[in-house]
Amino acid sequence: GGTYTLDMPTVENKEITNGTYNVPSITPRKLVAEEAQVKKYYAEYTAEKQTFTYEFTAPCTGEYSVYADGFSEGNYFVIQIYNAGGDCLHNVYGSSSYGLNDNFYISLNKGEEYTFKLTNKKYLGQVILNISVPKFLNIDSYSFVDDKIEYIGQKNHYYYTPSVTGKHRFGISNVNEGVYFAIKIYNAGGECIYNTYGNNTYGLNEDFSISLTAGQKYTIQVFNKKSYTGDYRFEVANDNDVGEIGSYYKINDSIQCRNQRNYYELTASYTGEYNFYFSDINDGSYYVVVVYNAGGKCIHNVYFNSSYSLNDGFSLSLTKGQTYYFEIYSKSEKYGSYAFNIGNYKTPLSIDDYVVVKDSIQYLNQNNVYTFTAEYSETCQMFFSGIQNGKSIKVTILSPSGKKLYDKSVSSNAAIEFDVTKNNTYTIIVQQAKGLNYNYSFEFYE
């Protein structure tokens, strides 16, 4: 006989020796895009088939949107465009013409001069010829861009050069519900590698992913699918790759952006059950956890069925030496700081040589497991003490075949009895029933 005191492998004990890891927060960087440049040329028609001529020098190389407005519906105009050498680049005369809010695109080169000719048919009055300058922004060092669609046919372009090869996420937010945008992505060779136009479009809080190559320059084009003009936010994935967390019991981290993903790696130190849960988050916050094994297979995914919020936990059976990958993100707009806790289950303890066992409950759903081999066929007794008022533990006793000999909650000063058979090995499981963070002890007599 004797007394065995089990050290507390708890969050508090580990925190003294770097058991808590405080992850540096991501600081989102915002780019506010400048307003679009639209060159407006006014014409006042006083006769039929009258032509106005305008000279235009392209301020940048790209695709320009051209349209006429300011006149009543049902009237039509012909637009012709010539380069400096007199070659006609665009001529709708005799084939088609543009009416109210119709636009077309034409590629112009920076610094070159062009001549625009606008001819009416029968309409008399004022007309405005609009030549929109394409917008190009480098977004490599930004988390999101606050931008807008200001005119018909506007296309906003963003240059993006990824630093790592793999999946990259982008998203659209801060738009009115029911409003959608189309997105195209071009590689450095000008090939379109992603195109939603004519297929699906992105609206409020929608994301998409695409595989990109490190060091390659991509052009992302955002434009309105219909005639909508207004504000939007284009988001670049704000991912925080924390790395290995196997030596910690508590990870203090945060979600700073709507589409942020936090990634962790955990190499299992033993084969068995691991317990995970959230704490220190605001009520109403919901976080989704996706877990992958070393082969990339998803072994835990709550995205389409439930979310974990304050003090909710889950358990996973992991294999020693295997690395697992965790992805955490917010499912609501109430994101912020949180603590992700890893409640390691203790190695089962043989109590054959002890009479008094002292232990503690530190984690939600924590299991403390004890084993013993009966010396005689007899009735065993257990006496519990040290449990705080208002708290209780659940005690489960299993036979060698797994049959439950006892399965009830107990509080301090409780006594239980159960029968055993000589040379058989039995398992005692103690877990949280009511309350958390407390010590307990029991005396065990054969």
Side-chain angles (χ1 to χ4, degrees), residues 302-319:
V302 299
Y303 184 77
F304 292 109
N305 48 58
S306 64
S307 301
Y308 291 106
S309 60
L310 187 60
N311 292 334
D312 287 327
F314 63 96
S315 298
L316 291 175
S317 181
L318 307 183
T319 302

Side-chain angles (χ1 to χ4, degrees), residues 351-401:
I351 59 173
D352 285 333
D353 299 327
Y354 303 98
V355 173
V356 178
V357 176
K358 295 182 179 181
D359 210 335
S360 64
I361 297 291
Q362 297 297 141
Y363 308 113
L364 292 171
N365 303 319
Q366 177 179 333
N367 286 351
N368 293 338
V369 180
Y370 315 98
T371 62
F372 71 93
T373 301
E375 293 187 47
Y376 310 98
S377 296
E378 60 181 357
T379 298
C380 293
Q381 296 179 317
M382 295 180 67
F383 300 93
F384 287 85
S385 62
I387 303 173
Q388 298 177 18
N389 290 335
K391 297 182 179 181
S392 60
I393 57 177
K394 182 181 179 183
V395 180
T396 303
I397 301 175
L398 304 177
S399 70
S401 65

Side-chain angles (χ1 to χ4, degrees), residues 174-190:
N174 289 16
V175 300
N176 295 326
E177 191 170 358
V179 174
Y180 297 92
F181 294 89
I183 298 172
K184 292 183 180 181
I185 300 180
Y186 298 86
N187 61 19

